[in-house]
Amino acid sequence: MILNEHSLHDRIRRGEEVFWLNEQYNARQESGVRTEFSLEQIDDASRRLERFAPVITHYFPETIASGGIIESPLTEIAAMKKKLCHDAGMEIPGRLFLKQDSHLAVSGSVKARGGIYEVLKHTEDLALEHGLLSSYGDDYRKLTTEDARRLFSKYKIQVGSTGNLGLSIGIMSAALGYEAIIHMSVDARQWKKDLLRERGASVIEYEGDYEEAVKKGRSASEADPFSYFVDDENSRELFCGYAVAGRRLKAQLDDQNIPVDGEHPLIVMIPCGVGGAPGGITYGLKQCFGEHVHVFFAEPTQAPCMLIGLETGKYGEVAVQDFGLSGRTEADGLAVGRCSTLVARNIHALLSGEGTVRDERLEPFMRDLWQTEKIYIEPSACAAFMPLIQLYSTDTGRQYLRNQGIESVLGQATSIIWATGGSMVPEQEKLVVI
Ligand SMILES: *Cc1c(COP(=O)(O)O)cnc(C)c1O
């Protein structure tokens, strides 16, 4: 055991790809699995998003067709599955789908879930406090009036980000009339900064990494009573917004007549940065599917902050730099050195495991998906293909399938790659790789 642990740490330190099983995983969530979130909180978040639907359609007419609900397609990618199996010389049993959060309206990434939700929650609080809304039953279109915009313009919303969270917070805040200030880390792509400025947000750039951008943003905001800070490392609102994805996915699977039960396992692969998005989604999925859903995260070999946080039990107290890793990666959305302690502690019993991926693999995944399915997703999103391959091609992966007793039903399994971003990437940038 100790030998294994040492060899795992050594391999992480050497920047090798690993497939890790979470020893704390408690499939049935019995005895002692307690989280700081409740079903009621996620219900509440879901209803809040419905209340805001008229506001969303007002500012983002592309959401009229979905009634102001921002949701992404679930698309089968059989040709990509064939390509992956061929190249890796392996079988991926069952059907393979892509959850296209890459194509979510408004900001083109998974951050359109949590980020937008938190801005709306704050807006509702302000509106009730200032009498713009009298109750949850009021007409939310009042929030788009000149009076409302005048009120919001006195307030700032700030966030520290590697890019996509900044995009979702910045675009939504600016649309509602707030002054949006986005603190960007060195990894953030230029086009994301340009797009934000175009939408009326202020972008402050730092030489340092994501952790520094968050720290600077937090202290700038704390000094200002008219400023609200979206704290990616500690936000309960973000987590709840992401968790709504669970019930939305369940409805989509029901619509496509795809069962999830003891005979039909659901296997989900999600890229992880600080942990909020994949953690919230995992929480929401576990609420809907319990032991029948198996969730694995994907992180870059140079920034496996959630893996080391969970494996050592130190959560956000340990950084990838403590393992001699750089924290730098082409997967800009995953360039995070320290995971969220709030998230890590709440998913420690829910997560099945994780796979890490070297940067060199991201472009080929991206190109393959484009060539087989004509779908473009950004580098961070491509990381999710790795744990899928590892689950079926490594001894550790096979051990998991055996231990869970699902080996014999894998032919009826549904696997989902959670594509976390990509549709807003400018054409010129896409062309470089596809
Ligand atoms: C933010 C992001 C992630 C990970 O989300 P976290 O909440 O940081 O863990 C994954 N992929 C993309 C494209 C992202 O922007």
Side-chain angles (χ1 to χ4, degrees), residues 110-111 164 271-278 333-334 378 380 420-421:
V110 68
K111 305 299 193 311
N164 284 339
C272 179
V274 73
L334 314 181
E378 63 182 89
S380 301
T420 43

Side-chain angles (χ1 to χ4, degrees), residues 330 362-364 366-368 370-371 376-379 425 427-434:
E330 275 303 300
L362 301 174
E363 251 189 54
M366 193 186 299
R367 208 175 301 118
D368 288 345
W370 176 255
Q371 282 168 359
Y376 175 86
I377 63 176
E378 63 182 89
V425 175
E427 291 304 318
Q428 316 85 276
E429 298 236 350
K430 289 184 193 173
L431 288 177
V432 176
V433 289
I434 58 179

Side-chain angles (χ1 to χ4, degrees), residues 102 108-111 161-165 192 210 232 238 242 270-280 297-299 305-306 331-336 343 378-383 418-422:
S102 46
S109 84
V110 68
K111 305 299 193 311
S161 169
T162 61
N164 284 339
L165 185 63
K192 294 183 181 175
Y210 159 87
D232 200 12
L238 283 177
Y242 290 125
I270 321 176
C272 179
V274 73
F297 286 177
E299 288 184 302
C305 61
M306 186 59 80
D332 53 338
L334 314 181
V336 177
V343 173
E378 63 182 89
S380 301
C382 291
W418 210 285
T420 43

Side-chain angles (χ1 to χ4, degrees), residues 45-60:
S46 181
R47 281 193 298 268
R48 182 162 293 107
L49 291 169
E50 284 165 22
R51 291 198 290 275
F52 270 92
V55 180
I56 302 294
T57 53
H58 176 85
Y59 288 117
F60 303 95

Side-chain angles (χ1 to χ4, degrees), residues 37 48 114 117-118 121 228 235-242:
F37 297 91
R48 182 162 293 107
Y117 174 74
E118 181 151 358
K121 170 76 168 70
Y228 180 84
S235 170
R236 287 162 195 277
E237 307 302 347
L238 283 177
F239 192 91
C240 291
Y242 290 125

